Amino acid sequence: MIRPAKMIRQVLSSLFKKPATNLYPFNKFEMPDKFRGKIVFDPELCVGCKLCMKDCPAGAINIKKVGEKKFEAEFDLGKCVYCAQCTETCFKKALKFTGEFELASLDREKLKITFNAKPDDTASK
Amino acid sequence: MHKFTVPIGPQHPALKEPESFNVLLSGERIMKFSARLGYNHRGIEKACEERTYIQNVYLTERVCGICSHAHSSCFVQAVEEIAGLEIPRRANYIRTLVGELERIHSHLLWLGVAGHEVGFDTLLMYAWRDREIVMDILAKLTGNRVNYGINTIGGVRRDINTDQIKDVSKAVKKLKERTEYYVRVAKEEVTLIKRLSGVGVLLPKDVLKLGAVGPTARASGIERDTRKDDPYGAYGELDFRVITDDHNDVYGRTLVRLGELLESYKMISQILENIPEGPITVKAPRKIPAGEAVSRYEAPRGENVHYVKSNGTDKPERVKIRAPTLANIQTVAKMLEDRNLADLPIVIAAIDPCFSCTDRLTLVKDVGHGKGRKMRWEDLHSHSIQWYKARGIDFSDLNKKMEKLLK
């Protein structure tokens, strides 16, 4: 059977429903618990194998040696593609992903974040 | 009647991606249609040669934003074949599950776009609202709405648990209800039937001649589906039908895609019921032994082909990608022969094109000596100005005005 305005009933009933969209900046959206967001680095656990640097598809990680068994990581969030491959490559679990996703910035420099090794330890060596 | 050529693109409000079409018109009728690729070439194949296999999984995933899982699966399948890896059955099932969820989101997206191109924006709004259900499920399963990153060489990266299985079956139930509604809309709504019937006709003999793939071929009655012809993943163990239609036009393509949605729901419930227990990954070597493989995958738009050649190092020697749009773009010229210009947007949209995925490097050769020539950016800039000037288009006055305004 052919009839015009097949969807009209649905459209009219939508008038009395809540909007399907989320009022985003005011109404925060919660991401699922395994969402791959910003990566965090724990300098305590890093052994400096640099496998994460080798596996990162975007070249966003830079691990630097700053002292005896002390490493710091420099991340470029502008390059990161949030695949979280580094968290799986790291066998010491020094890299973890968080659910944080509101990372946009107008300044490129602000996208570069450094996770420093503990300063007091480095100073003593 | 006077004939004239209308360039559409590379930058045009009707196109979502940069691509150049030249349409020779006689009045409203299209006499000749030609497409020129090469405006969005990203050099992914070359970039693959400079990255390790594990990095390439993520790089090939970014060939396409919509069928990202199709490309990464296709690449991973080829690498696994070279390395001789037998991946666990559970991993195969999870890959197939994500692949089918991806097909659902892609087909619902297409339904909305098609509605928009024919001026039926109500369909766009509702189809995309329902698409959010499957996007949320994908985010829950894989950790992202697009570019799921579920594949790795030798299996999948994330397992699914019973809670997620419940979530997926609940979502699929809801989506099935909605899709059945859209099937009723497509079969009964008179504006949609009248607008799409007889538009973009592609006869079965032309499908075979031009080598169309995916829903474009199936809507002309050609049963061509890699999932059935050359089963990969878990498709060999699933019970499903290849949806075909004999309308041969855009209306047929709509019905095929809607029918495929219903088949996908059927497949997903089979996967969720029969998913085997076991590991999700096998250990893959970093260095892949020398060899070559061709892998095929039925993406939402049609057959994807990846060719990988390895040389025993941790980087491939050659990666070749054939996205389905490259096979289908040839058919558009045939579909538009002697049609109205107003049919062009929907006919192009009906193959569900993905121009960035399909883009090739175009090597421009000098007609004089038949050799390639290197040009610097400045030379190219002045060359383009001269090229347009020779055709009576001069932007220099406009540029001066613009500069004044900016000052």
Side-chain angles (χ1 to χ4, degrees):
Chain A
M1 192 178 72
I2 288 174
R3 70 161 92 126
K6 169 77 188 162
M7 286 181 86
I8 192 86
R9 192 176 286 175
Q10 181 125 99
V11 173
L12 290 177
S13 76
S14 294
L15 279 174
F16 306 103
K17 282 181 193 157
K18 273 199 293 182
T21 45
N22 202 7
L23 205 59
Y24 164 61
F26 312 105
N27 195 352
K28 289 278 182 230
F29 187 73
E30 207 172 294
M31 295 320 275
D33 55 342
K34 277 180 171 177
F35 179 75
R36 302 191 306 265
K38 184 180 165 183
I39 308 282
V40 289
F41 173 74
D42 185 352
E44 300 268 289
L45 295 171
C46 182
V47 291
C49 67
K50 297 192 181 178
L51 276 175
C52 52
M53 273 171 78
K54 211 181 160 198
D55 274 358
C56 179
I61 313 174
N62 192 13
I63 305 276
K64 273 189 295 191
K65 194 174 183 181
V66 287
E68 195 63 31
K69 286 186 182 170
K70 291 283 159 211
F71 298 96
E72 56 177 51
E74 209 181 88
F75 279 93
D76 194 338
L77 295 180
K79 280 185 184 170
C80 182
V81 293
Y82 304 98
C83 64
Q85 173 63 40
C86 49
T87 64
E88 277 170 32
T89 303
C90 185
F91 55 88
K92 286 284 173 190
K93 302 280 167 242
L95 290 152
K96 282 188 192 74
F97 57 85
T98 60
E100 207 185 324
F101 64 94
E102 288 163 312
L103 306 164
S105 164
L106 287 172
D107 188 2
R108 262 170 211 255
E109 288 308 307
K110 277 187 192 153
L111 291 171
K112 284 180 186 150
I113 45 171
T114 313
F115 293 94
N116 292 315
K118 271 196 174 174
D120 47 343
D121 286 21
T122 343
S124 66
K125 286 204 169 133
Chain B
M1 200 178 276
H2 185 63
K3 285 179 188 169
F4 49 95
T5 310
V6 179
I8 297 174
Q11 308 295 335
H12 194 275
L15 300 171
K16 271 87 194 163
E17 288 172 274
E19 209 64 271
S20 172
F21 302 109
N22 268 311
V23 190
L24 180 66
L25 288 176
S26 162
E28 284 268 320
R29 293 266 152 188
I30 295 173
M31 309 306 288
K32 200 176 163 236
F33 171 91
S34 65
R36 184 172 159 188
L37 303 175
Y39 285 91
N40 213 3
H41 182 68
R42 293 166 294 170
I44 286 185
E45 290 176 0
K46 190 73 191 163
C48 278
E49 292 167 20
E50 279 154 28
R51 280 167 173 77
T52 61
Y53 287 97
I54 202 83
Q55 289 175 317
N56 281 337
V57 176
Y58 301 102
L59 183 62
T60 48
E61 189 162 46
R62 278 153 184 82
V63 168
C64 184
I66 298 168
C67 38
S68 58
H69 182 73
H71 281 281
S72 77
S73 299
C74 201
F75 176 77
V76 161
Q77 277 175 24
V79 176
E80 281 159 0
E81 197 184 316
I82 301 172
L85 295 172
E86 183 75 38
I87 77 158
R89 272 186 77 212
R90 191 177 174 84
N92 254 334
Y93 268 74
I94 295 173
R95 258 184 211 173
T96 313
L97 172 68
V98 176
E100 284 310 310
L101 286 170
E102 184 183 67
R103 194 178 315 276
I104 294 166
H105 106 74
S106 174
H107 281 359
L108 282 174
L109 180 107
W110 179 85
L111 185 68
V113 170
H116 174 70
E117 297 290 359
V118 297
F120 191 8
D121 277 301
T122 312
L123 187 61
L124 164 80
M125 299 293 173
Y126 283 87
W128 283 27
R129 182 193 69 186
D130 298 331
R131 179 172 165 260
E132 282 306 304
I133 303 171
V134 67
M135 298 302 276
D136 287 346
I137 281 296
L138 280 166
K140 258 182 209 159
L141 282 184
T142 66
N144 226 334
R145 283 162 59 89
V146 285
N147 292 336
Y148 322 110
I150 192 90
N151 280 324
T152 190
I153 295 163
V156 289
R157 291 169 65 198
R158 286 191 182 180
D159 205 353
I160 62 169
N161 56 33
T162 41
D163 280 353
Q164 285 169 328
I165 289 179
K166 265 182 211 153
D167 282 348
V168 177
S169 40
K170 222 167 95 185
V172 164
K173 208 176 150 202
K174 177 102 190 37
L175 283 165
K176 195 174 171 196
E177 204 178 280
R178 293 300 304 163
T179 309
E180 277 162 0
Y181 173 73
Y182 292 125
V183 174
R184 285 203 299 278
V185 169
K187 285 192 175 155
E188 291 174 21
E189 171 67 55
V190 68
T191 47
L192 205 64
I193 299 171
K194 294 249 169 180
R195 182 67 187 86
L196 300 180
S197 296
V199 172
V201 175
L202 187 71
L203 297 174
K205 66 171 180 6
D206 294 323
V207 170
L208 296 174
K209 204 170 82 186
L210 297 165
V213 292
T216 313
R218 293 198 281 274
S220 299
I222 306 289
E223 223 171 281
R224 187 178 276 178
D225 192 323
T226 319
R227 291 174 293 172
K228 210 61 161 184
D229 303 341
D230 182 13
Y232 55 87
Y235 288 111
E237 297 164 30
L238 299 177
D239 170 40
F240 66 100
R241 248 166 8 103
V242 176
I243 304 287
T244 53
D245 197 273
D246 48 13
H247 277 86
N248 303 347
D249 54 11
V250 179
Y251 185 58
R253 273 155 234 157
T254 314
L255 293 181
V256 163
R257 287 196 173 95
L258 285 168
E260 274 178 23
L261 280 174
L262 294 173
E263 285 301 304
S264 289
Y265 303 142
K266 208 170 90 187
M267 271 187 255
I268 287 172
S269 31
Q270 286 174 33
I271 290 169
L272 296 178
E273 267 171 36
N274 307 326
I275 188 160
E277 290 298 319
I280 53 162
T281 178
V282 287
K283 201 167 161 41
R286 275 181 184 269
K287 285 182 180 170
I288 303 291
E292 55 185 348
V294 171
S295 150
R296 301 163 75 197
Y297 186 102
E298 186 71 20
R301 288 160 177 71
E303 188 192 13
N304 236 343
V305 182
H306 280 220
Y307 165 78
V308 180
K309 187 179 181 193
S310 61
N311 54 7
T313 60
D314 60 349
K315 289 171 187 165
E317 193 172 297
R318 175 83 172 103
V319 177
K320 169 88 190 126
I321 299 167
R322 206 281 325 253
T325 307
L326 192 72
N328 283 337
I329 192 79
Q330 317 295 335
T331 61
V332 175
K334 187 83 200 161
M335 288 179 204
L336 282 172
E337 254 174 30
D338 204 30
R339 299 292 315 181
N340 282 330
L341 182 64
D343 289 344
L344 184 132
I346 183 63
V347 169
I348 295 180
I351 65 162
D352 207 357
C354 202
F355 293 122
S356 305
C357 322
T358 205
D359 236 336
R360 311 278 121 184
L361 176 75
T362 28
L363 191 67
V364 186
K365 280 185 178 170
D366 251 343
V367 187
H369 3 54
K371 266 193 228 156
R373 177 155 60 106
K374 270 188 191 168
M375 268 177 137
R376 287 177 42 213
W377 177 250
E378 294 81 21
D379 301 334
L380 203 64
H381 186 234
S382 55
H383 175 80
S384 70
I385 292 171
Q386 293 305 326
W387 194 86
Y388 276 107
K389 257 190 191 166
R391 279 154 187 80
I393 306 167
D394 195 355
F395 291 112
S396 51
D397 287 349
L398 217 67
N399 271 346
K400 273 175 200 158
K401 267 185 199 164
M402 196 70 178
E403 269 168 30
K404 260 186 199 166
L405 270 175
L406 286 174
K407 271 173 194 168

